[in-house]
Amino acid sequence: ASQKGTGKWTGQTGLELGTPVSLIVEAVFARCLSSIKDERVKLGSTLPGPKVTKVANVSEFVESIKQALYASKIISYTQGFMLMREASKSFGWSLNMGSIALMWRGGCFIRSAFLGNIKSAFDRNPDLANLLIDDFFHGEISKCQSSWRQVVAHAVISGIPTPAFSSALAFYDGYRSPWLPANLLQAQRDYFGAHTYELLASPGHFHHTNWTGHGGTTASSNYNV
């Protein structure tokens, strides 16, 4: 599958503004992976993988896939509006999010049946920080998440790539978590580059550990190169 650049530009802007548009970027990478078909065909019979696990009830699983798709689409729009909100703040655009949703509903390649619900969400709260906070979308995600998790888990066990579903679910779980494994990145950076780290018990104070016993006590923040 090829691409015309819209997703790439969205991903680049997300990185520049520090906004996690992970599902959109993963969809672009899925196209990139799709485009290297010769390599995939060549390695498909040599790289090991699990056997596909059959589902007990096909009709129920199809319904679960529909729920997973719906939840992932909500996450995609959530990330898109997060990006526009950050762009509006950064560039002083004063974007009217509800009007944008209504405009897309009128005719656009990203139009969707629930754009009306997005418009209603911003009508209820023009300063809405995230669609998942809105009662409607909060409820829809709550109803879908069990099926969503089952689909992603079954795909992983069976070795079936579902990058958009998986990325959307990872974002959702990350967004609802007060503490994330990314906190460990500070320790890793201190280990290989003496970049220091903060402790939860003493925020604002930076520490360095001589992890190997050979690195010394000088942290990178103590000197400039």
Side-chain angles (χ1 to χ4, degrees):
S2 60
Q3 57 168 310
K4 296 187 179 297
T6 308
K8 180 180 71 174
W9 300 329
T10 302
Q12 290 172 335
T13 304
L15 288 170
E16 290 170 358
L17 297 178
T19 303
V21 286
S22 51
L23 188 156
I24 298 169
V25 171
E26 197 60 60
V28 175
F29 285 147
R31 289 187 171 192
C32 295
L33 183 59
S34 173
S35 68
I36 52 175
K37 184 173 182 179
D38 290 344
E39 293 180 41
R40 292 187 290 106
V41 171
K42 181 178 179 181
L43 296 174
S45 59
T46 59
L47 290 176
K51 293 182 179 179
V52 176
T53 304
K54 293 184 178 181
V55 297
N57 189 312
V58 174
S59 60
E60 286 185 4
F61 194 71
V62 169
E63 183 59 34
S64 293
I65 293 174
K66 293 179 181 179
Q67 296 297 308
L69 175 61
Y70 181 45
S72 298
K73 287 178 66 177
I74 290 175
I75 296 299
S76 182
Y77 280 88
T78 295
Q79 292 184 348
F81 276 91
M82 286 174 64
L83 181 59
M84 288 190 292
R85 183 193 67 186
E86 189 59 36
S88 184
K89 287 164 48 180
S90 297
F91 304 126
W93 287 346
S94 300
L95 296 179
N96 186 319
M97 301 302 182
S99 295
I100 290 173
L102 195 63
M103 177 180 64
W104 284 345
R105 190 181 183 186
C108 177
F109 73 95
I110 57 173
R111 62 182 176 266
S112 172
F114 59 71
L115 281 169
N117 300 114
I118 295 176
K119 171 68 164 58
S120 297
F122 284 108
D123 284 345
R124 287 189 290 270
N125 181 6
D127 298 320
L128 186 67
N130 190 292
L131 286 176
L132 297 178
I133 301 172
D134 179 73
D135 288 343
F136 172 79
F137 290 104
H138 182 279
E140 294 298 280
I141 284 286
S142 297
K143 289 187 292 186
C144 292
Q145 73 160 303
S146 178
S147 295
W148 190 13
R149 294 182 188 282
Q150 290 174 15
V151 169
V152 172
H154 185 84
V156 171
I157 291 171
S158 298
I160 300 172
T162 54
F165 284 2
S166 302
S167 178
L169 183 57
F171 170 85
Y172 174 75
D173 283 336
Y175 192 71
R176 67 181 187 83
S177 300
W179 305 109
L180 293 173
N183 287 344
L184 294 174
L185 293 176
Q186 286 191 50
Q188 291 176 318
R189 294 180 73 249
D190 188 58
Y191 175 85
F192 73 75
H195 294 291
T196 71
Y197 57 90
E198 291 180 90
L199 295 174
L200 296 177
S202 56
H205 298 280
F206 295 87
H207 309 268
H208 169 60
T209 296
N210 183 0
W211 300 91
T212 64
H214 305 290
T217 59
T218 301
S220 64
S221 59
N222 292 342
Y223 61 89
N224 294 313
V225 177

